[in-house]
Amino acid sequence: QVQLVESGGGLVQPGGSLRLSCAASGSIFSAYGWYRQGAGKQRELVATITRGGSTNYVDSAKGRFTISRDNAKNTVYLQMNNLKPEDTAVYYCNVRGVNGIDYWGKGTLVTVSS
């Protein structure tokens, strides 16, 4: 049974930083990602990383966010710097099993406000 445990969300002032973590267990994963959903908005991709280390970012995250993973720990991280109020959202961890199935975390709230 696949389980995802997210951590690291919270309240931060504009310009601040947060680091999200997502520990996955129960399978072997080929790719990891972070998505977010702001109030009244659709869920959008923030960043993805393959097991081999290839990354992809939404334009608004480029230069501010960094996704990384620890394959041995099946853990993916999202380092978020220079946070802006528009980054406020629930952030969801996503992992893709080698069988092609996507699994989702429950989400962690990030609030950027002064």
Side-chain angles (χ1 to χ4, degrees):
Q1 182 179 359
V2 173
Q3 291 187 325
L4 303 178
V5 179
E6 299 159 322
S7 61
L11 173 64
V12 63
Q13 292 186 341
S17 298
L18 283 174
R19 188 192 195 207
L20 305 182
S21 300
C22 175
S25 61
S27 185
I28 299 173
F29 306 104
S30 60
Y32 309 82
W34 289 96
Y35 291 69
R36 67 186 178 189
Q37 187 167 14
K41 299 181 180 180
Q42 291 187 331
R43 189 175 298 188
E44 65 170 353
L45 179 149
V46 177
T48 61
I49 186 168
T50 66
R51 192 172 182 85
S54 298
T55 59
N56 181 48
Y57 296 91
V58 66
D59 285 347
S60 61
K62 291 178 181 178
R64 300 189 299 127
F65 295 3
T66 302
I67 190 170
S68 60
R69 86 276 178 261
D70 184 329
N71 289 336
K73 295 181 179 180
N74 275 347
T75 299
V76 61
Y77 307 95
L78 185 68
Q79 177 67 43
M80 303 185 293
N81 298 327
N82 189 23
L83 283 160
K84 304 175 181 181
E86 52 264 41
D87 295 317
T88 295
V90 178
Y91 284 70
Y92 296 91
C93 174
N94 168 271
V95 298
R96 175 162 293 178
V98 293
N99 55 9
I101 297 176
D102 283 331
Y103 302 92
W104 293 90
K106 294 181 179 180
T108 184
L109 178 62
V110 172
T111 303
V112 184
S113 176
S114 55

